[in-house]
Amino acid sequence: EARNIRIQLLDDRGKPLPVNETDVPSSSTASDSSPLVADKDGWLTLFDGASRDHWKHYGLPGQGDYAAVDGVLKKESQVDQGLLAHDQEFSDFVLQLEYRLNHIDDKARVYFRLHPHGNRPPTETLAVNLVDDRGSRQGGRTSKRSANARTNGALYEVIEPDRPVDLPFGDWHALEVRA
């Protein structure tokens, strides 16, 4: 589950773009959707809490799709196939969101730098891994994990976190990604 998803665009030096210079990319798949609007600090709301405008599901219908429910993006099934991606591309940015895992064996990833391939989940991406390390699933089994590049907060299968990020399931947690 995720909520309060927002992004701030950065210039080529990594500084926030002022609102009047923020170039919000046009949507390629949601022409009837409302445009993204920057607040006074330059943050764009990516999820309005009510609809999936600007979001595309990659995967088979009914497998891993998401719905907007009570201000939260929620997965509609426990099937691990598929992902949800924003339909607009951003170059340099800071992404902020809140997430919650509801069960000790839940897992999720926040993908960025996606390269979609038709309706299949993208490959060649980067993702922050979100799991409860005390007992998350890996390959369909439940196991206690050692510190590696699949633990909570890791850049999935690339870089492990500097220190353990022990954030238990059931609570809302903040995530910030600078890319």
Side-chain angles (χ1 to χ4, degrees):
E1 298 183 346
R3 66 182 185 189
N4 300 326
I5 306 169
R6 66 188 199 152
I7 194 168
Q8 186 175 53
L9 303 180
L10 303 174
D11 66 19
D12 57 0
R13 296 178 323 272
K15 303 291 183 195
L17 286 172
V19 174
N20 59 358
E21 292 180 24
T22 301
D23 179 24
V24 180
S26 61
S27 170
S28 59
T29 61
S31 59
D32 59 344
S33 298
S34 58
L36 296 179
V37 178
D39 68 14
K40 65 180 178 61
D41 296 319
W43 288 93
L44 301 164
T45 298
L46 298 183
F47 173 58
D48 65 8
S51 74
R52 278 201 20 208
D53 282 358
H54 298 288
W55 294 90
K56 177 175 173 38
H57 174 252
Y58 288 94
L60 299 174
Q63 292 191 3
D65 206 353
Y66 291 75
V69 179
D70 298 326
V72 175
L73 274 175
K74 292 185 176 189
K75 197 168 187 179
E76 292 182 317
S77 73
Q78 292 302 311
V79 178
D80 287 338
Q81 302 299 313
L83 60 86
L84 195 62
H86 201 269
D87 70 352
Q88 296 181 355
E89 292 184 20
F90 305 100
S91 55
D92 298 330
F93 59 85
V94 176
L95 172 70
Q96 291 181 341
L97 61 91
E98 293 176 352
Y99 73 93
R100 175 173 62 191
L101 304 173
N102 289 311
H103 306 285
I104 196 164
D105 63 346
D106 281 355
K107 62 181 177 179
R109 293 187 190 110
V110 174
Y111 290 88
F112 53 100
R113 306 290 189 230
L114 294 176
H115 301 282
H117 300 285
N119 199 37
R120 295 177 298 143
T123 58
E124 302 169 12
T125 68
L126 296 174
V128 175
N129 207 37
L130 306 174
V131 296
D132 186 326
D133 289 326
R134 294 173 297 171
S136 61
R137 289 178 296 165
Q138 189 166 231
R141 66 185 192 279
T142 302
S143 64
K144 178 123 176 122
R145 298 198 213 211
S146 61
N148 61 31
R150 289 186 172 193
T151 58
N152 191 48
L155 189 56
Y156 186 69
E157 294 187 340
V158 177
I159 301 171
E160 59 189 82
D162 292 337
R163 63 186 184 291
V165 183
D166 185 19
L167 301 175
F169 71 95
D171 296 331
W172 285 101
H173 306 288
L175 175 68
E176 181 173 291
V177 175
R178 180 179 282 265

